[in-house]
Amino acid sequence: MKKPLFSPIILALLVLLIVVLIPNKWIEGMIPKERINQAATELNPFMFQGKYVQQKMLENKHFLPIYGSSELARLDRFHPSNYFKVTGEEFTPFLIGRGGTESLIHLLNFSEHTNQLKGKKMVFVLSPQWFQPQGTDESHFVPNYSSLQGYDFAFNQKVNPTIKKEAIKRLLKFSPVKDDPFLSTIYQAEITNDPWMKRKASLVRPFAYAYRNLLVKKDLYYSLVGGKPHKREISHKVRDKSWGKLAIQAEKMGSRKSKNNQFCITNGQFNKIKKMVPSLKDSKKGASYGKSPEYDDFQLLLDVLKESGAQPLFISVPVNGKWYDYTGFPKEGRTAYYERIKKQIQSQGFQIADFSNHEYDPYFMKDTIHIGWKGWVYTDKAIKNFYEGKKVEEDLGRLN
C-alpha cells in the first residue's frame, strides 16, 4: 500500500510548528556558555546582524567591544585581538564589523542594545572612506543590514523620537527598508501626520510584531548552532615588549611584507592593483572627504551613544599619504575630514585617538586604506590607556 504523498509535507509542517513554538527561554538555555568567547573574533555576519550574542557580550565586563569595518579582519600579531590576549590583559576584545559596515548599520546595532550600553567602554574605528560625497550606498548597506535590528528599531520606544525620525528618513532610502511592506509602513507612519498612514500602520503592526518575534527566534537558533570557527594564529612575540620595541618589530614586519612598491602596500595587495596603478595617477584631483551625508548619519550614532551613557573611544585612522598623493587626492580634502570628525566627536565629550599625523608614517597602513602593523601598535597603546582610565589624547606621541 502506497503512503500518501503529502505525508512528508505534513511532517515538515509539524517540525516547523514545533521549532516555532519552542519557548525562547528553552533555546537560550541550550546555547553553550562558550559561544560568546567563540564569537569574539569570528567576525560572523549572523552575530553582527543578530541580538542575543551581542547582548550577552555587552552584559559581561570581561569584553571590550571594538566596532569598525573591514580593518577588523586584518588579524596579525599586533592586532588588538592577539596583543591583548597574549599580554594577559583583563579584557578580551570583541570584534563587531566587516567591510561596508558604516554609520547607519552601527546606529541600528547600538539602538538595539541601549539597555546594555550605559557605562560600557567600547572602541570605534573610523574610516575616512566612509565619508564619500554621496554617503553610504546600496552596495554597502544591503549586505550589512539586519531585518531584526530594523524591526526592533520600529518598536523601540527608548531612542529619542527626534533621533529616531531622522534615522528613519535615511533608512527609507534603502531597498531592504523601503521594499518591506510592513516595515516601510510603520516607518512612514512615524514621520508623517497623515491619518490614513497612521491607520494603515496600526493594521500592519500586529503582523510586523509577529514577524519580528520570528526573527528573534531565528537569531536564537543561529546562536545555538554557532558559526564556523575562525582559525587564527596566536603569536606570543609581542609579549613583554615596550611600545618602542613593538614599533620596531612592526616596522621590520612591514618592510618584509611590502617590498615591491614605494607606497608601503603589502606585496600581495599591490600585485592585485599593479596593472591599474599608472591609470590611477592624479585620478582623484579635486576629491574630498570634507562633505558627506555620512556626517549626519554619524551624528545620529553619536546621539544614541550619548543618550545611552556609553563610553566610547574613537580611533581616527589616517589614509596612506603616499598613495593619496599619487592619485592626486588633495591634502586639504583629507585634512577637512580629520578636523571635522575630531570636532564632531569632541563636541559630544567623547575621546578620540587622532592618528591623522601618521599619513606618511611607513607601515602605519597596510595598504591604501586599512590600518597596518605599526598602526595597530599605536592603537593598542591608545586602547590600553583608555581602558585604564587615562586621557588618550594627551599620550599619542612617540612610543616608548
Side-chain angles (χ1 to χ4, degrees):
M1 183 175 178
K2 291 184 178 181
K3 293 182 178 180
L5 293 176
F6 53 82
S7 58
I9 298 175
I10 295 175
L11 180 60
L13 290 173
L14 286 173
V15 171
L16 179 61
L17 185 62
I18 292 170
V19 166
V20 170
L21 292 179
I22 291 177
N24 289 356
K25 286 292 183 182
W26 290 13
I27 306 172
E28 287 185 34
M30 293 185 286
I31 297 173
K33 292 182 179 179
E34 65 269 18
R35 179 70 71 238
I36 313 304
N37 275 309
Q38 176 187 328
T41 56
E42 255 185 4
L43 294 167
N44 188 336
F46 292 132
M47 180 272 295
F48 304 156
Q49 298 168 347
K51 181 176 184 178
Y52 175 81
V53 170
Q54 288 193 66
Q55 178 179 317
K56 294 300 179 183
M57 177 273 295
L58 289 168
E59 291 172 352
N60 191 330
K61 294 181 179 179
H62 176 69
F63 292 105
L64 178 70
I66 302 181
Y67 301 87
S69 51
S70 53
E71 72 285 331
L72 297 182
R74 269 62 184 178
L75 295 165
D76 58 40
R77 72 176 67 165
F78 308 103
H79 190 286
S81 289
N82 183 77
Y83 176 77
F84 291 112
K85 180 179 180 66
V86 303
T87 55
E89 292 294 335
E90 62 183 59
F91 64 86
T92 295
F94 193 103
L95 309 179
I96 305 167
R98 62 172 180 166
T101 313
E102 299 179 3
S103 299
L104 282 175
I105 298 298
H106 285 298
L107 165 68
L108 285 175
N109 198 358
F110 289 139
S111 299
E112 179 83 279
H113 301 286
T114 51
N115 286 343
Q116 290 87 40
L117 293 180
K118 185 175 179 59
K120 185 71 177 181
K121 287 189 174 183
M122 63 177 67
V123 177
F124 194 104
V125 184
L126 279 163
S127 295
Q129 295 76 28
W130 295 1
F131 295 81
Q132 301 287 342
Q134 73 278 10
T136 192
D137 57 20
E138 287 274 308
S139 66
H140 291 92
F141 183 86
V142 174
N144 295 299
Y145 170 71
S146 162
S147 292
L148 172 56
Q149 292 173 4
Y151 271 82
D152 272 351
F153 194 68
F155 293 104
N156 193 321
Q157 300 298 318
K158 295 183 179 179
V159 174
N160 182 299
T162 301
I163 299 172
K164 188 175 181 180
K165 287 180 180 180
E166 290 303 313
I168 284 173
K169 290 175 185 177
R170 284 287 290 143
L171 291 167
L172 281 168
K173 294 182 182 295
F174 298 95
S175 59
V177 177
K178 67 183 179 183
D179 294 343
D180 183 323
F182 291 162
L183 190 59
S184 62
T185 299
I186 294 174
Y187 274 9
Q188 287 170 21
E190 288 269 1
I191 60 174
T192 182
N193 293 318
D194 182 354
W196 163 240
M197 184 58 70
K198 298 284 188 184
R199 286 196 296 272
K200 187 177 178 182
S202 66
L203 291 174
V204 305
R205 193 174 294 272
F207 299 99
Y209 191 75
Y211 180 59
R212 175 257 180 197
N213 287 341
L214 285 176
L215 292 173
V216 170
K217 193 173 292 289
K218 176 183 174 183
D219 175 51
L220 289 174
Y221 279 118
Y222 274 130
S223 300
L224 173 62
V225 175
K228 185 177 180 181
H230 186 81
K231 293 182 179 180
R232 63 188 181 97
E233 183 180 349
I234 301 298
S235 173
H236 293 271
K237 294 181 179 180
V238 295
R239 181 185 288 173
D240 300 324
K241 300 290 191 303
S242 67
W243 295 116
K245 288 183 178 179
L246 283 175
I248 293 171
Q249 192 180 124
E251 288 174 352
K252 289 180 178 178
M253 177 175 282
S255 178
R256 286 199 313 271
K257 292 183 175 290
S258 53
K259 292 181 177 179
N260 65 353
N261 64 92
Q262 73 270 34
F263 305 110
C264 298
I265 295 172
T266 57
N267 297 326
Q269 185 62 33
F270 188 75
N271 285 336
K272 293 179 182 178
I273 64 172
K274 190 173 182 178
K275 292 181 180 179
M276 298 186 294
V277 169
S279 65
L280 294 174
K281 184 172 176 58
D282 295 329
S283 61
K284 296 291 185 179
K285 284 187 174 181
S288 175
Y289 292 142
K291 293 182 179 180
S292 170
E294 190 73 23
Y295 287 102
D296 292 332
D297 296 344
F298 183 61
Q299 185 59 52
L300 294 172
L301 179 156
L302 291 175
D303 291 339
V304 168
L305 290 178
K306 185 76 172 179
E307 290 212 339
S308 65
Q311 296 181 21
L313 166 67
F314 290 90
I315 307 294
S316 180
V317 178
V319 301
N320 183 325
K322 286 186 177 181
W323 175 257
Y324 269 63
D325 287 347
Y326 179 82
T327 62
F329 197 114
K331 179 71 173 176
E332 56 268 25
R334 290 125 63 176
T335 302
Y337 159 76
Y338 298 136
E339 293 178 349
R340 183 173 178 179
I341 205 70
K342 184 175 182 178
K343 182 178 180 181
Q344 193 172 2
I345 291 167
Q346 290 183 330
S347 70
Q348 303 300 306
F350 296 143
Q351 290 199 67
I352 178 173
D354 179 9
F355 294 128
S356 58
N357 62 338
H358 289 275
E359 277 196 351
Y360 298 99
D361 192 348
Y363 318 118
F364 199 93
M365 306 299 289
K366 182 170 283 189
D367 48 35
T368 61
I369 60 175
H370 295 109
I371 195 167
W373 313 274
K374 195 173 180 181
W376 282 130
V377 175
Y378 275 86
T379 301
D380 291 339
K381 182 183 180 184
I383 291 174
K384 183 174 175 63
N385 287 346
F386 168 69
Y387 191 83
E388 293 176 351
K390 298 176 183 177
K391 289 289 184 181
V392 174
E393 188 68 14
E394 297 173 2
D395 191 26
L396 290 178
R398 294 172 56 189
L399 298 175
N400 50 51

